[in-house]
Amino acid sequence: MFFFPVLLLASSLQLAALVQAATPTLTHLFNGTIFVEPVADLIPGPFGGRSLITLNGGTLLNPSNGDVVANILPGLGGELGLLGSNNVFYPDVRAVLQWVDDSTFGYLELHGSGEYGVKATAYARFETNSSSRVQLNGLFTIFRLDLSSSSPGTFDIYSVDDTINN
């Protein structure tokens, strides 16, 4: 009876030694600006205050040359985040993009945490049928937002390379 758990533990340790995750690396995909406007004060709820924020436009830029890659369309999407009772902000954002090179649309969805009205870090998911941007659909991306200075807010988007070494 004692032999089986010991054998199982030894096998698990050997397997763990064979598969090691690489340290993720980040690739800077975009930076940009975004104009936000609160629609109302925080709305009280059972988990904290719910935010209602309109996105009034913005741009995604190529970080290496500053060229506009896409426009964030004003009035579409928005923020329905939560300021928890622990004073941590949990953004829940949707934005509609229009790519400059082919005029197709893209969608950006964000979920993360941060400081209400100041900064946030979020997982970002792209959805697009643009032939020049279709590779974004499968990427794991991180969105860093800074609203600490006057409007517009600034952001950076990074892809995460999480290749596993054997």
Side-chain angles (χ1 to χ4, degrees), residues 28-48:
H28 197 188
L29 297 176
F30 306 107
N31 57 16
T33 59
I34 189 163
F35 293 89
V36 297
E37 181 181 343
V39 175
D41 291 332
L42 290 173
I43 299 168
F47 303 112

PDB file of all heavy atoms in Angstrom, residues 28-48:
ATOM      1  N   HIS A  28       6.044  44.038 -27.921  1.00  0.00           N
ATOM      2  CA  HIS A  28       5.233  45.258 -27.924  1.00  0.00           C
ATOM      3  C   HIS A  28       4.494  45.355 -29.260  1.00  0.00           C
ATOM      4  O   HIS A  28       5.099  45.637 -30.285  1.00  0.00           O
ATOM      5  CB  HIS A  28       6.146  46.468 -27.706  1.00  0.00           C
ATOM      6  CG  HIS A  28       5.430  47.694 -27.295  1.00  0.00           C
ATOM      7  ND1 HIS A  28       6.052  48.911 -27.215  1.00  0.00           N
ATOM      8  CD2 HIS A  28       4.150  47.929 -26.926  1.00  0.00           C
ATOM      9  CE1 HIS A  28       5.194  49.831 -26.823  1.00  0.00           C
ATOM     10  NE2 HIS A  28       4.029  49.255 -26.644  1.00  0.00           N
ATOM     11  N   LEU A  29       3.184  45.110 -29.251  1.00  0.00           N
ATOM     12  CA  LEU A  29       2.378  45.123 -30.470  1.00  0.00           C
ATOM     13  C   LEU A  29       1.899  46.517 -30.852  1.00  0.00           C
ATOM     14  O   LEU A  29       1.981  46.920 -32.009  1.00  0.00           O
ATOM     15  CB  LEU A  29       1.157  44.220 -30.311  1.00  0.00           C
ATOM     16  CG  LEU A  29       1.388  42.736 -30.101  1.00  0.00           C
ATOM     17  CD1 LEU A  29       0.060  42.036 -29.874  1.00  0.00           C
ATOM     18  CD2 LEU A  29       2.134  42.145 -31.270  1.00  0.00           C
ATOM     19  N   PHE A  30       1.324  47.212 -29.881  1.00  0.00           N
ATOM     20  CA  PHE A  30       0.713  48.517 -30.136  1.00  0.00           C
ATOM     21  C   PHE A  30       0.885  49.411 -28.912  1.00  0.00           C
ATOM     22  O   PHE A  30       1.012  48.924 -27.793  1.00  0.00           O
ATOM     23  CB  PHE A  30      -0.803  48.394 -30.389  1.00  0.00           C
ATOM     24  CG  PHE A  30      -1.176  47.430 -31.470  1.00  0.00           C
ATOM     25  CD1 PHE A  30      -1.753  46.211 -31.167  1.00  0.00           C
ATOM     26  CD2 PHE A  30      -0.975  47.747 -32.805  1.00  0.00           C
ATOM     27  CE1 PHE A  30      -2.109  45.311 -32.164  1.00  0.00           C
ATOM     28  CE2 PHE A  30      -1.319  46.865 -33.808  1.00  0.00           C
ATOM     29  CZ  PHE A  30      -1.886  45.645 -33.481  1.00  0.00           C
ATOM     30  N   ASN A  31       0.834  50.703 -29.144  1.00  0.00           N
ATOM     31  CA  ASN A  31       0.569  51.647 -28.074  1.00  0.00           C
ATOM     32  C   ASN A  31      -0.521  52.563 -28.608  1.00  0.00           C
ATOM     33  O   ASN A  31      -0.958  52.400 -29.741  1.00  0.00           O
ATOM     34  CB  ASN A  31       1.824  52.393 -27.612  1.00  0.00           C
ATOM     35  CG  ASN A  31       2.536  53.138 -28.722  1.00  0.00           C
ATOM     36  OD1 ASN A  31       1.995  53.368 -29.797  1.00  0.00           O
ATOM     37  ND2 ASN A  31       3.761  53.517 -28.473  1.00  0.00           N
ATOM     38  N   GLY A  32      -0.979  53.480 -27.781  1.00  0.00           N
ATOM     39  CA  GLY A  32      -2.028  54.336 -28.292  1.00  0.00           C
ATOM     40  C   GLY A  32      -2.633  55.239 -27.251  1.00  0.00           C
ATOM     41  O   GLY A  32      -2.135  55.358 -26.134  1.00  0.00           O
ATOM     42  N   THR A  33      -3.719  55.868 -27.676  1.00  0.00           N
ATOM     43  CA  THR A  33      -4.459  56.775 -26.811  1.00  0.00           C
ATOM     44  C   THR A  33      -5.929  56.384 -26.823  1.00  0.00           C
ATOM     45  O   THR A  33      -6.428  55.792 -27.783  1.00  0.00           O
ATOM     46  CB  THR A  33      -4.342  58.234 -27.301  1.00  0.00           C
ATOM     47  OG1 THR A  33      -4.845  58.320 -28.629  1.00  0.00           O
ATOM     48  CG2 THR A  33      -2.900  58.709 -27.256  1.00  0.00           C
ATOM     49  N   ILE A  34      -6.603  56.735 -25.724  1.00  0.00           N
ATOM     50  CA  ILE A  34      -8.035  56.465 -25.637  1.00  0.00           C
ATOM     51  C   ILE A  34      -8.692  57.581 -24.821  1.00  0.00           C
ATOM     52  O   ILE A  34      -8.154  58.037 -23.815  1.00  0.00           O
ATOM     53  CB  ILE A  34      -8.315  55.075 -25.016  1.00  0.00           C
ATOM     54  CG1 ILE A  34      -9.788  54.721 -25.143  1.00  0.00           C
ATOM     55  CG2 ILE A  34      -7.817  54.990 -23.583  1.00  0.00           C
ATOM     56  CD1 ILE A  34     -10.082  53.266 -24.957  1.00  0.00           C
ATOM     57  N   PHE A  35      -9.833  58.031 -25.319  1.00  0.00           N
ATOM     58  CA  PHE A  35     -10.617  59.053 -24.630  1.00  0.00           C
ATOM     59  C   PHE A  35     -11.767  58.351 -23.909  1.00  0.00           C
ATOM     60  O   PHE A  35     -12.546  57.632 -24.533  1.00  0.00           O
ATOM     61  CB  PHE A  35     -11.172  60.073 -25.632  1.00  0.00           C
ATOM     62  CG  PHE A  35     -10.111  60.905 -26.286  1.00  0.00           C
ATOM     63  CD1 PHE A  35      -9.510  60.482 -27.462  1.00  0.00           C
ATOM     64  CD2 PHE A  35      -9.704  62.093 -25.708  1.00  0.00           C
ATOM     65  CE1 PHE A  35      -8.529  61.245 -28.065  1.00  0.00           C
ATOM     66  CE2 PHE A  35      -8.714  62.867 -26.310  1.00  0.00           C
ATOM     67  CZ  PHE A  35      -8.121  62.440 -27.495  1.00  0.00           C
ATOM     68  N   VAL A  36     -11.845  58.546 -22.596  1.00  0.00           N
ATOM     69  CA  VAL A  36     -12.900  57.923 -21.793  1.00  0.00           C
ATOM     70  C   VAL A  36     -13.699  59.004 -21.081  1.00  0.00           C
ATOM     71  O   VAL A  36     -13.174  60.068 -20.751  1.00  0.00           O
ATOM     72  CB  VAL A  36     -12.325  56.918 -20.766  1.00  0.00           C
ATOM     73  CG1 VAL A  36     -11.627  55.777 -21.465  1.00  0.00           C
ATOM     74  CG2 VAL A  36     -11.378  57.593 -19.794  1.00  0.00           C
ATOM     75  N   GLU A  37     -14.969  58.709 -20.866  1.00  0.00           N
ATOM     76  CA  GLU A  37     -15.839  59.657 -20.168  1.00  0.00           C
ATOM     77  C   GLU A  37     -16.828  58.885 -19.306  1.00  0.00           C
ATOM     78  O   GLU A  37     -17.622  58.090 -19.821  1.00  0.00           O
ATOM     79  CB  GLU A  37     -16.611  60.504 -21.183  1.00  0.00           C
ATOM     80  CG  GLU A  37     -17.517  61.529 -20.543  1.00  0.00           C
ATOM     81  CD  GLU A  37     -18.275  62.339 -21.575  1.00  0.00           C
ATOM     82  OE1 GLU A  37     -17.902  62.351 -22.755  1.00  0.00           O
ATOM     83  OE2 GLU A  37     -19.282  62.966 -21.172  1.00  0.00           O
ATOM     84  N   PRO A  38     -16.785  59.107 -17.988  1.00  0.00           N
ATOM     85  CA  PRO A  38     -17.770  58.447 -17.121  1.00  0.00           C
ATOM     86  C   PRO A  38     -19.185  58.897 -17.480  1.00  0.00           C
ATOM     87  O   PRO A  38     -19.428  60.081 -17.724  1.00  0.00           O
ATOM     88  CB  PRO A  38     -17.398  58.922 -15.715  1.00  0.00           C
ATOM     89  CG  PRO A  38     -15.979  59.380 -15.828  1.00  0.00           C
ATOM     90  CD  PRO A  38     -15.815  59.891 -17.233  1.00  0.00           C
ATOM     91  N   VAL A  39     -20.095  57.947 -17.548  1.00  0.00           N
ATOM     92  CA  VAL A  39     -21.498  58.239 -17.849  1.00  0.00           C
ATOM     93  C   VAL A  39     -22.238  58.613 -16.574  1.00  0.00           C
ATOM     94  O   VAL A  39     -23.140  59.429 -16.577  1.00  0.00           O
ATOM     95  CB  VAL A  39     -22.171  57.021 -18.529  1.00  0.00           C
ATOM     96  CG1 VAL A  39     -23.648  57.251 -18.730  1.00  0.00           C
ATOM     97  CG2 VAL A  39     -21.475  56.720 -19.841  1.00  0.00           C
ATOM     98  N   ALA A  40     -21.829  58.006 -15.468  1.00  0.00           N
ATOM     99  CA  ALA A  40     -22.481  58.243 -14.181  1.00  0.00           C
ATOM    100  C   ALA A  40     -21.472  57.967 -13.074  1.00  0.00           C
ATOM    101  O   ALA A  40     -20.388  57.428 -13.324  1.00  0.00           O
ATOM    102  CB  ALA A  40     -23.686  57.305 -14.028  1.00  0.00           C
ATOM    103  N   ASP A  41     -21.829  58.351 -11.854  1.00  0.00           N
ATOM    104  CA  ASP A  41     -21.020  57.976 -10.704  1.00  0.00           C
ATOM    105  C   ASP A  41     -21.086  56.460 -10.551  1.00  0.00           C
ATOM    106  O   ASP A  41     -21.931  55.794 -11.165  1.00  0.00           O
ATOM    107  CB  ASP A  41     -21.562  58.645  -9.438  1.00  0.00           C
ATOM    108  CG  ASP A  41     -21.341  60.151  -9.445  1.00  0.00           C
ATOM    109  OD1 ASP A  41     -20.375  60.614 -10.092  1.00  0.00           O
ATOM    110  OD2 ASP A  41     -22.143  60.857  -8.805  1.00  0.00           O
ATOM    111  N   LEU A  42     -20.199  55.921  -9.734  1.00  0.00           N
ATOM    112  CA  LEU A  42     -20.245  54.484  -9.482  1.00  0.00           C
ATOM    113  C   LEU A  42     -21.628  54.095  -8.973  1.00  0.00           C
ATOM    114  O   LEU A  42     -22.203  54.778  -8.124  1.00  0.00           O
ATOM    115  CB  LEU A  42     -19.183  54.092  -8.465  1.00  0.00           C
ATOM    116  CG  LEU A  42     -17.744  54.180  -8.954  1.00  0.00           C
ATOM    117  CD1 LEU A  42     -16.782  53.942  -7.796  1.00  0.00           C
ATOM    118  CD2 LEU A  42     -17.487  53.185 -10.067  1.00  0.00           C
ATOM    119  N   ILE A  43     -22.161  53.021  -9.500  1.00  0.00           N
ATOM    120  CA  ILE A  43     -23.488  52.537  -9.109  1.00  0.00           C
ATOM    121  C   ILE A  43     -23.297  51.447  -8.064  1.00  0.00           C
ATOM    122  O   ILE A  43     -22.657  50.427  -8.344  1.00  0.00           O
ATOM    123  CB  ILE A  43     -24.239  51.995 -10.336  1.00  0.00           C
ATOM    124  CG1 ILE A  43     -24.408  53.120 -11.364  1.00  0.00           C
ATOM    125  CG2 ILE A  43     -25.582  51.404  -9.930  1.00  0.00           C
ATOM    126  CD1 ILE A  43     -24.879  52.637 -12.711  1.00  0.00           C
ATOM    127  N   PRO A  44     -23.833  51.636  -6.847  1.00  0.00           N
ATOM    128  CA  PRO A  44     -23.624  50.643  -5.790  1.00  0.00           C
ATOM    129  C   PRO A  44     -24.276  49.306  -6.135  1.00  0.00           C
ATOM    130  O   PRO A  44     -25.341  49.253  -6.747  1.00  0.00           O
ATOM    131  CB  PRO A  44     -24.307  51.258  -4.569  1.00  0.00           C
ATOM    132  CG  PRO A  44     -24.654  52.654  -4.923  1.00  0.00           C
ATOM    133  CD  PRO A  44     -24.617  52.766  -6.410  1.00  0.00           C
ATOM    134  N   GLY A  45     -23.597  48.252  -5.751  1.00  0.00           N
ATOM    135  CA  GLY A  45     -24.113  46.901  -5.947  1.00  0.00           C
ATOM    136  C   GLY A  45     -23.587  45.985  -4.867  1.00  0.00           C
ATOM    137  O   GLY A  45     -22.820  46.409  -3.999  1.00  0.00           O
ATOM    138  N   PRO A  46     -23.960  44.711  -4.910  1.00  0.00           N
ATOM    139  CA  PRO A  46     -23.579  43.787  -3.845  1.00  0.00           C
ATOM    140  C   PRO A  46     -22.078  43.495  -3.778  1.00  0.00           C
ATOM    141  O   PRO A  46     -21.577  43.090  -2.743  1.00  0.00           O
ATOM    142  CB  PRO A  46     -24.367  42.517  -4.178  1.00  0.00           C
ATOM    143  CG  PRO A  46     -24.666  42.622  -5.635  1.00  0.00           C
ATOM    144  CD  PRO A  46     -24.778  44.085  -5.931  1.00  0.00           C
ATOM    145  N   PHE A  47     -21.339  43.726  -4.864  1.00  0.00           N
ATOM    146  CA  PHE A  47     -19.908  43.423  -4.889  1.00  0.00           C
ATOM    147  C   PHE A  47     -19.048  44.673  -4.892  1.00  0.00           C
ATOM    148  O   PHE A  47     -17.828  44.592  -4.975  1.00  0.00           O
ATOM    149  CB  PHE A  47     -19.577  42.558  -6.106  1.00  0.00           C
ATOM    150  CG  PHE A  47     -20.364  41.289  -6.146  1.00  0.00           C
ATOM    151  CD1 PHE A  47     -21.321  41.098  -7.125  1.00  0.00           C
ATOM    152  CD2 PHE A  47     -20.182  40.302  -5.197  1.00  0.00           C
ATOM    153  CE1 PHE A  47     -22.071  39.935  -7.164  1.00  0.00           C
ATOM    154  CE2 PHE A  47     -20.923  39.143  -5.222  1.00  0.00           C
ATOM    155  CZ  PHE A  47     -21.871  38.952  -6.208  1.00  0.00           C
ATOM    156  N   GLY A  48     -19.663  45.862  -4.876  1.00  0.00           N
ATOM    157  CA  GLY A  48     -18.933  47.124  -4.927  1.00  0.00           C
ATOM    158  C   GLY A  48     -19.635  48.080  -5.865  1.00  0.00           C
ATOM    159  O   GLY A  48     -20.824  47.953  -6.124  1.00  0.00           O
TER     160      GLY A  48
END
